[in-house]
Structures are given as structure tokens and as C-alpha cells.
Amino acid sequence: MPLYEYLCEECDTRFERLRPLNAIDDPASCPDGHPAGQRIISIFSAVSKDSSGEPKVTTGGCGGCGGGCTGCACSSN
Ligand SMILES: [Zn+2]
């Protein structure tokens, strides 16, 4: 299952969720329990990750599929 990044507009927290493809645009609860986190587009999140220095997510990809999912940059590596 692919890993997607979400942003909570209530507390401005970014967090990640494993989601099936048919649920990626559904609101996700943030770690603080706010129910309406919105998915961040992968290219946008990759830039944010790089600038914040977090090593977990690789270039433009979801960082969690190892190249096995479609629609993320991991699959082109
Ligand atoms: Zn929140």
C-alpha cells in the first residue's frame, strides 16, 4: 500500500498515511486527532522534505513503496 503525505490545516502538521489508491483523497486524521487533513501533492512534499532536512522521503516519490506503486517517482527509478 502506498504512503502518502497529508497536511492538517488545523495545526499545520504534516503526517504520512498508508492508503489504498481509491482512498488517497479522503481526509485523514492528524496525530493530534483533527479529522480533515488534506493530501499533499507528491512533488510539493518532496521539496518541503528536502528543505526541512528530513532524510526519509526520496526525490519526488512517496518514499515508502520501493518502486512498486504507480503514479509516484519511485516507479521510474
Ligand atoms: Zn491537526
Side-chain angles (χ1 to χ4, degrees):
M1 208 181 300
L3 184 68
Y4 294 99
E5 189 169 28
Y6 294 81
L7 173 67
C8 177
E9 294 179 349
E10 294 279 335
C11 61
D12 215 27
T13 297
R14 284 201 301 268
F15 57 99
E16 293 165 337
R17 286 286 183 275
L18 289 169
R19 281 265 163 114
L21 273 176
N22 62 5
I24 61 174
D25 286 325
D26 289 355
S29 296
C30 82
D32 289 336
H34 304 123
Q38 298 297 310
R39 186 168 66 98
I40 302 172
I41 304 302
S42 61
I43 293 173
F44 197 71
S45 70
V47 172
S48 297
K49 282 286 184 182
D50 288 344
S51 64
S52 69
E54 291 187 44
K56 188 175 180 181
V57 174
T58 55
T59 307
C62 67
C65 73
C69 73
T70 57
C72 81
C74 300
S75 58
S76 65
N77 286 338

